[in-house]
Amino acid sequence: MAQLEQQKLQLIQELEIEMMADMYNRLTNVCHKKCIPPVYNDSEIAKGEAVCLDRCVAKFLDIHERIGKKLGQLSMQDEELLKKK
């Protein structure tokens, strides 16, 4: 029984790592496309680009957190409904 629980825990950890990597890749792609011009004129990020990236990442993480909370609430509601049946 303990080995089954350990396998479940490992699977959950692997899925969490996979989801975080996916979120990071999407964040990188979206914010790069939005804030960095396709033709680089300078070897360093300009101040405006840095501000844009900072805001983009903050918004992305805020929305990700809000969605996670909402999904958690919906999951708890589903569990409560299943317990009542």
Side-chain angles (χ1 to χ4, degrees), residues 35-37 39-40 42 44-54:
C35 298
I36 307 294
V39 177
Y40 299 149
D42 199 356
E44 295 184 19
I45 295 176
K47 184 176 181 178
E49 294 168 341
V51 170
C52 179
L53 286 169
D54 186 50

Side-chain angles (χ1 to χ4, degrees), residues 20 23-24 27-28 31 53-69:
M20 290 300 291
M23 183 195 70
Y24 177 78
L27 176 144
T28 302
C31 292
L53 286 169
D54 186 50
R55 288 181 180 162
C56 182
V57 169
K59 285 179 183 179
F60 200 96
L61 294 176
D62 181 49
I63 294 299
H64 183 75
E65 182 181 354
R66 288 182 188 193
I67 290 171
K69 285 180 181 178

Side-chain angles (χ1 to χ4, degrees), residues 73-85:
Q73 290 173 350
L74 293 173
S75 177
M76 290 178 75
Q77 289 174 356
D78 286 348
E79 286 181 27
E80 289 175 8
L81 286 174
L82 289 174
K83 286 180 183 176
K84 289 180 181 178
K85 290 182 178 183

